[in-house]
Amino acid sequence: MEFMTDPAGIEARSMEIIAPHLTGLQLSPAEVKVYSRMIHASGDPEYAPIIRIHPEAIKAGCQALSAGCNIYCDVEMVRTGINKNRLAEYGGTVQCLIADPEIAAIAQNNGITRSMAAMRQFAGQLDGAIVAIGNAPTALFEVLDIINRTNIRPALIIGVPVGFVGAAESKALLHETAPVPYITVLGNKGGSPIAAATTNALVYMLEK
Amino acid sequence: MEFMTDPAGIEARSMEIIAPHLTGLQLSPAEVKVYSRMIHASGDPEYAPIIRIHPEAIKAGCQALSAGCNIYCDVEMVRTGINKNRLAEYGGTVQCLIADPEIAAIAQNNGITRSMAAMRQFAGQLDGAIVAIGNAPTALFEVLDIINRTNIRPALIIGVPVGFVGAAESKALLHETAPVPYITVLGNKGGSPIAAATTNALVYMLEK
């Protein structure tokens, strides 16, 4: 069986195939890059009409990354998917506490998810940083609650939790009420590769 | 905003919401578990009609896991998503070589993807093991080529690479020609969470 084996060629051809799915959406060149990576990561062009990018999101995210901000994730799969070598060139790191035994104990004692407890623990560190949530609606609800109760303001929230319990609701709340820039996907779809791909799209836009 | 925060409650409610999407598919109880976890991981009920499970796949996978087989992955995100603690109770480990510098050099020298080079390196280790591919069509093509050229026979191939270049073709080849049990998804959709969720569905079926 004949098939492409060259990584750069595969990526270029993928982007060519995705492009027609974005026609009519009136996207900026930077938005096209973000949309394309989200669709590439899901294999699902039906993401195109449900992606929502705040007008300041890409600029704010790139500025924060250039300044060396950290990225705070809900789950390890998001951390794994982010290009940490490229990020490190600007001084940023990727943080995740879901596997921390102390966080597990706090979650258990409070009857909440570990990713929610992790966001509560990060709290002030989220100020000026990027939040990347690819799995847990509860983590996104918690970040929105922190913003609502405090002066903590992430530079950008990449909020694409997935599933049927709270995912659509948490992302609608992000889209409709967040006083900070965001990138999200309406409805039930999302996931760790979508969060990582969105983050990487911004990282790849940076120029040294 | 009111929302569920109890992890067990969230999972139970998710499965209730997914159940109606599986009616009419004539699935066994074990197949329902696999389908449900794949849909849960994607937030996308449109997976239901495109999932393909070989009649021997779940039994073969569970037997191999019970016997302590290893799981060989194409990318680190799949390894990250697999419940390694539960797997370790049976003696199995999760292996991934994509970040190995030697594999990177082999890939570069041969103009192939790193995940393809990694599968070529695993080769004989795949015999009797589980292969879990969530990202790279080239890795799945390589495994099918190894099977075609040799007597190496994985116990089960979980083959759900994603994207627009080779993903649908590699999965169709798996579905139509593989002489070993498989679980796959037709078309462009797939991804690391789908591969990990499918693997975990089998791990959670084991009883000590």
Side-chain angles (χ1 to χ4, degrees):
Chain A
M1 179 120 188
E2 289 291 315
F3 56 95
M4 288 181 78
T5 60
D6 162 47
I10 292 169
E11 179 165 321
R13 180 71 190 120
S14 296
M15 295 306 165
E16 282 175 11
I17 293 170
I18 292 167
H21 295 286
L22 306 181
T23 51
L25 292 175
Q26 300 188 300
L27 306 177
S28 71
E31 287 172 331
V32 166
K33 289 182 183 173
V34 175
Y35 272 64
S36 297
R37 290 212 165 265
M38 294 172 94
I39 293 171
H40 186 236
S42 61
D44 185 359
E46 290 178 25
Y47 269 80
I50 56 174
I51 293 169
R52 294 292 181 274
I53 302 183
H54 181 282
E56 298 296 319
I58 294 174
K59 187 176 163 199
C62 287
Q63 281 180 345
L65 289 168
S66 291
C69 82
N70 288 337
I71 300 172
Y72 294 87
C73 304
D74 60 335
V75 294
E76 289 291 348
M77 282 187 80
V78 176
R79 171 150 66 176
T80 301
I82 292 173
N83 190 325
K84 290 170 287 296
N85 289 341
R86 286 289 293 273
L87 185 67
E89 294 175 21
Y90 301 89
T93 65
V94 187
Q95 303 293 321
C96 181
L97 281 175
I98 197 162
D100 185 298
E102 190 184 333
I103 291 297
I106 292 170
Q108 177 102 45
N109 292 339
N110 291 277
I112 62 176
T113 65
R114 288 180 296 152
S115 55
M116 190 175 171
M119 290 297 152
R120 202 171 287 180
Q121 183 81 4
F122 288 136
Q125 296 176 69
L126 305 181
D127 198 53
I130 292 179
V131 177
I133 295 173
N135 187 278
T138 53
L140 181 52
F141 278 126
E142 178 66 24
V143 171
L144 293 173
D145 188 54
I146 289 169
I147 291 171
N148 205 35
R149 287 186 294 100
T150 71
N151 292 321
I152 295 165
R153 294 291 178 268
L156 169 66
I157 299 175
I158 296 168
V160 291
V162 61
F164 301 92
V165 177
E169 295 84 347
S170 66
K171 291 181 287 185
L173 198 67
L174 173 67
H175 173 51
E176 290 161 16
T177 73
V180 300
Y182 60 82
I183 300 175
T184 190
V185 173
L186 302 181
N188 300 319
K189 290 180 185 178
S192 301
I194 315 304
T198 305
T199 307
N200 287 337
L202 301 184
V203 172
Y204 298 150
M205 281 180 213
L206 303 178
E207 297 192 25
K208 295 223 71 149
Chain B
M1 179 118 186
E2 289 291 316
F3 58 94
M4 289 180 78
T5 60
D6 162 48
I10 292 170
E11 180 166 317
R13 180 71 190 119
S14 297
M15 296 306 164
E16 282 175 10
I17 294 170
I18 291 166
H21 295 285
L22 306 181
T23 53
L25 292 176
Q26 300 188 298
L27 305 177
S28 70
E31 287 172 331
V32 166
K33 288 181 183 174
V34 175
Y35 272 65
S36 297
R37 290 212 166 265
M38 293 172 95
I39 293 171
H40 185 236
S42 61
D44 184 0
E46 291 177 25
Y47 270 80
I50 56 174
I51 293 169
R52 293 292 180 273
I53 302 183
H54 182 281
E56 298 297 319
I58 294 174
K59 187 177 163 200
C62 287
Q63 281 180 346
L65 289 168
S66 291
C69 82
N70 288 336
I71 300 172
Y72 295 86
C73 305
D74 61 335
V75 293
E76 290 290 347
M77 282 187 80
V78 175
R79 169 148 69 175
T80 301
I82 293 174
N83 190 326
K84 290 169 288 294
N85 290 340
R86 286 289 292 274
L87 184 67
E89 293 175 23
Y90 301 88
T93 64
V94 187
Q95 302 293 323
C96 181
L97 281 175
I98 196 162
D100 185 298
E102 190 185 332
I103 292 297
I106 292 170
Q108 177 101 46
N109 292 339
N110 291 279
I112 63 175
T113 65
R114 289 180 295 151
S115 54
M116 189 174 171
M119 291 296 152
R120 201 171 286 181
Q121 182 81 2
F122 287 136
Q125 297 176 69
L126 304 182
D127 198 53
I130 293 179
V131 176
I133 294 173
N135 188 278
T138 52
L140 181 52
F141 278 126
E142 178 66 24
V143 171
L144 294 172
D145 187 55
I146 290 169
I147 291 171
N148 205 33
R149 287 186 293 102
T150 71
N151 292 321
I152 295 164
R153 293 291 177 270
L156 169 66
I157 300 175
I158 296 168
V160 291
V162 61
F164 301 93
V165 177
E169 294 85 348
S170 66
K171 292 181 289 185
L173 197 67
L174 173 67
H175 174 50
E176 290 161 17
T177 72
V180 300
Y182 60 82
I183 300 175
T184 190
V185 172
L186 302 180
N188 301 318
K189 291 181 185 179
S192 302
I194 315 304
T198 304
T199 308
N200 288 337
L202 300 184
V203 173
Y204 298 151
M205 280 180 213
L206 304 179
E207 298 193 24
K208 295 223 73 150

Short mmCIF file of all heavy atoms in Angstrom, two decimals, chain A residues 145-169:
data_model
loop_
_atom_site.label_atom_id
_atom_site.label_comp_id
_atom_site.label_asym_id
_atom_site.label_seq_id
_atom_site.Cartn_x
_atom_site.Cartn_y
_atom_site.Cartn_z
N ASP A 145 -15.10 30.67 38.36
CA ASP A 145 -15.50 31.09 39.70
C ASP A 145 -14.38 31.90 40.37
O ASP A 145 -14.65 32.91 41.02
CB ASP A 145 -15.84 29.85 40.54
CG ASP A 145 -16.44 30.22 41.89
OD1 ASP A 145 -17.44 30.97 41.90
OD2 ASP A 145 -15.90 29.80 42.92
N ILE A 146 -13.14 31.46 40.19
CA ILE A 146 -11.99 32.20 40.74
C ILE A 146 -11.97 33.62 40.16
O ILE A 146 -11.78 34.61 40.88
CB ILE A 146 -10.67 31.46 40.43
CG1 ILE A 146 -10.56 30.18 41.27
CG2 ILE A 146 -9.47 32.37 40.67
CD1 ILE A 146 -9.41 29.25 40.84
N ILE A 147 -12.18 33.72 38.84
CA ILE A 147 -12.18 35.04 38.18
C ILE A 147 -13.32 35.91 38.73
O ILE A 147 -13.17 37.11 38.93
CB ILE A 147 -12.32 34.86 36.65
CG1 ILE A 147 -11.04 34.24 36.09
CG2 ILE A 147 -12.64 36.18 35.97
CD1 ILE A 147 -11.13 33.82 34.63
N ASN A 148 -14.45 35.28 38.98
CA ASN A 148 -15.63 35.98 39.46
C ASN A 148 -15.46 36.51 40.89
O ASN A 148 -15.98 37.56 41.25
CB ASN A 148 -16.83 35.01 39.40
CG ASN A 148 -18.14 35.74 39.29
OD1 ASN A 148 -18.23 36.79 38.66
ND2 ASN A 148 -19.17 35.18 39.90
N ARG A 149 -14.70 35.75 41.70
CA ARG A 149 -14.56 36.09 43.12
C ARG A 149 -13.35 36.95 43.42
O ARG A 149 -13.25 37.50 44.52
CB ARG A 149 -14.42 34.79 43.94
CG ARG A 149 -15.69 33.97 44.08
CD ARG A 149 -15.49 32.78 45.02
NE ARG A 149 -14.56 31.78 44.50
CZ ARG A 149 -13.28 31.64 44.84
NH1 ARG A 149 -12.73 32.45 45.74
NH2 ARG A 149 -12.53 30.70 44.30
N THR A 150 -12.39 37.01 42.48
CA THR A 150 -11.11 37.65 42.78
C THR A 150 -10.69 38.60 41.65
O THR A 150 -11.41 38.76 40.68
CB THR A 150 -9.99 36.58 42.94
OG1 THR A 150 -9.71 36.04 41.63
CG2 THR A 150 -10.41 35.44 43.87
N ASN A 151 -9.49 39.16 41.80
CA ASN A 151 -8.92 39.97 40.71
C ASN A 151 -7.98 39.17 39.83
O ASN A 151 -7.29 39.75 38.98
CB ASN A 151 -8.18 41.17 41.30
CG ASN A 151 -9.14 42.15 41.95
OD1 ASN A 151 -10.23 42.38 41.44
ND2 ASN A 151 -8.74 42.71 43.09
N ILE A 152 -7.92 37.87 40.03
CA ILE A 152 -7.05 37.01 39.21
C ILE A 152 -7.58 36.99 37.78
O ILE A 152 -8.76 36.72 37.55
CB ILE A 152 -6.99 35.58 39.81
CG1 ILE A 152 -6.34 35.64 41.18
CG2 ILE A 152 -6.28 34.62 38.86
CD1 ILE A 152 -6.55 34.37 42.02
N ARG A 153 -6.70 37.30 36.81
CA ARG A 153 -7.10 37.36 35.40
C ARG A 153 -6.09 36.62 34.53
O ARG A 153 -5.01 37.15 34.25
CB ARG A 153 -7.21 38.82 34.93
CG ARG A 153 -8.32 39.65 35.59
CD ARG A 153 -9.69 39.18 35.15
NE ARG A 153 -10.76 39.93 35.80
CZ ARG A 153 -11.35 39.55 36.95
NH1 ARG A 153 -10.96 38.46 37.59
NH2 ARG A 153 -12.33 40.27 37.46
N PRO A 154 -6.42 35.42 34.08
CA PRO A 154 -5.53 34.77 33.10
C PRO A 154 -5.42 35.63 31.84
O PRO A 154 -6.37 36.34 31.49
CB PRO A 154 -6.26 33.44 32.79
CG PRO A 154 -7.15 33.21 33.98
CD PRO A 154 -7.57 34.58 34.44
N ALA A 155 -4.29 35.54 31.17
CA ALA A 155 -4.13 36.24 29.88
C ALA A 155 -5.05 35.63 28.83
O ALA A 155 -5.57 36.32 27.96
CB ALA A 155 -2.67 36.16 29.43
N LEU A 156 -5.24 34.32 28.93
CA LEU A 156 -6.04 33.59 27.95
C LEU A 156 -6.53 32.28 28.56
O LEU A 156 -5.76 31.60 29.23
CB LEU A 156 -5.19 33.27 26.69
CG LEU A 156 -5.79 32.29 25.67
CD1 LEU A 156 -7.03 32.88 25.01
CD2 LEU A 156 -4.73 31.93 24.62
N ILE A 157 -7.79 31.95 28.31
CA ILE A 157 -8.30 30.63 28.69
C ILE A 157 -8.57 29.85 27.41
O ILE A 157 -9.39 30.26 26.59
CB ILE A 157 -9.60 30.74 29.51
CG1 ILE A 157 -9.35 31.50 30.82
CG2 ILE A 157 -10.16 29.33 29.81
CD1 ILE A 157 -10.62 31.75 31.64
N ILE A 158 -7.86 28.73 27.26
CA ILE A 158 -8.18 27.77 26.21
C ILE A 158 -9.05 26.72 26.89
O ILE A 158 -8.57 25.88 27.64
CB ILE A 158 -6.90 27.16 25.61
CG1 ILE A 158 -6.08 28.26 24.92
CG2 ILE A 158 -7.23 26.03 24.63
CD1 ILE A 158 -4.67 27.86 24.54
N GLY A 159 -10.36 26.83 26.67
CA GLY A 159 -11.31 26.01 27.44
C GLY A 159 -12.09 25.09 26.54
O GLY A 159 -13.10 25.50 25.96
N VAL A 160 -11.63 23.86 26.40
CA VAL A 160 -12.30 22.90 25.51
C VAL A 160 -12.54 21.55 26.20
O VAL A 160 -12.24 20.49 25.65
CB VAL A 160 -11.49 22.71 24.20
CG1 VAL A 160 -11.57 23.97 23.37
CG2 VAL A 160 -10.04 22.33 24.47
N PRO A 161 -13.13 21.58 27.43
CA PRO A 161 -13.46 20.32 28.07
C PRO A 161 -14.49 19.57 27.23
O PRO A 161 -15.22 20.17 26.45
CB PRO A 161 -14.04 20.73 29.42
CG PRO A 161 -14.55 22.11 29.21
CD PRO A 161 -13.58 22.73 28.23
N VAL A 162 -14.53 18.25 27.44
CA VAL A 162 -15.30 17.36 26.57
C VAL A 162 -16.31 16.58 27.39
O VAL A 162 -16.09 16.32 28.57
CB VAL A 162 -14.34 16.39 25.84
CG1 VAL A 162 -13.57 15.54 26.83
CG2 VAL A 162 -15.07 15.52 24.84
N GLY A 163 -17.43 16.21 26.76
CA GLY A 163 -18.34 15.29 27.42
C GLY A 163 -19.76 15.79 27.51
O GLY A 163 -20.13 16.79 26.90
N PHE A 164 -20.55 15.06 28.30
CA PHE A 164 -21.99 15.25 28.31
C PHE A 164 -22.53 15.81 29.61
O PHE A 164 -23.72 16.09 29.73
CB PHE A 164 -22.67 13.91 27.99
CG PHE A 164 -22.23 13.36 26.66
CD1 PHE A 164 -21.16 12.49 26.55
CD2 PHE A 164 -22.87 13.78 25.50
CE1 PHE A 164 -20.74 12.02 25.31
CE2 PHE A 164 -22.45 13.31 24.26
CZ PHE A 164 -21.38 12.43 24.17
N VAL A 165 -21.66 15.98 30.59
CA VAL A 165 -22.10 16.51 31.89
C VAL A 165 -21.28 17.76 32.22
O VAL A 165 -20.17 17.68 32.72
CB VAL A 165 -21.93 15.44 33.00
CG1 VAL A 165 -22.31 16.03 34.36
CG2 VAL A 165 -22.79 14.22 32.70
N GLY A 166 -21.83 18.91 31.86
CA GLY A 166 -21.18 20.17 32.23
C GLY A 166 -20.27 20.76 31.16
O GLY A 166 -19.92 21.93 31.25
N ALA A 167 -19.88 19.98 30.17
CA ALA A 167 -18.93 20.51 29.17
C ALA A 167 -19.56 21.66 28.39
O ALA A 167 -19.00 22.76 28.32
CB ALA A 167 -18.45 19.41 28.23
N ALA A 168 -20.73 21.41 27.81
CA ALA A 168 -21.40 22.46 27.02
C ALA A 168 -21.72 23.67 27.89
O ALA A 168 -21.53 24.81 27.47
CB ALA A 168 -22.67 21.90 26.38
N GLU A 169 -22.17 23.41 29.12
CA GLU A 169 -22.56 24.50 30.02
C GLU A 169 -21.35 25.35 30.42
O GLU A 169 -21.43 26.58 30.45
CB GLU A 169 -23.23 23.94 31.29
CG GLU A 169 -24.56 23.24 31.03
CD GLU A 169 -24.42 21.77 30.62
OE1 GLU A 169 -23.29 21.34 30.28
OE2 GLU A 169 -25.44 21.05 30.65
#
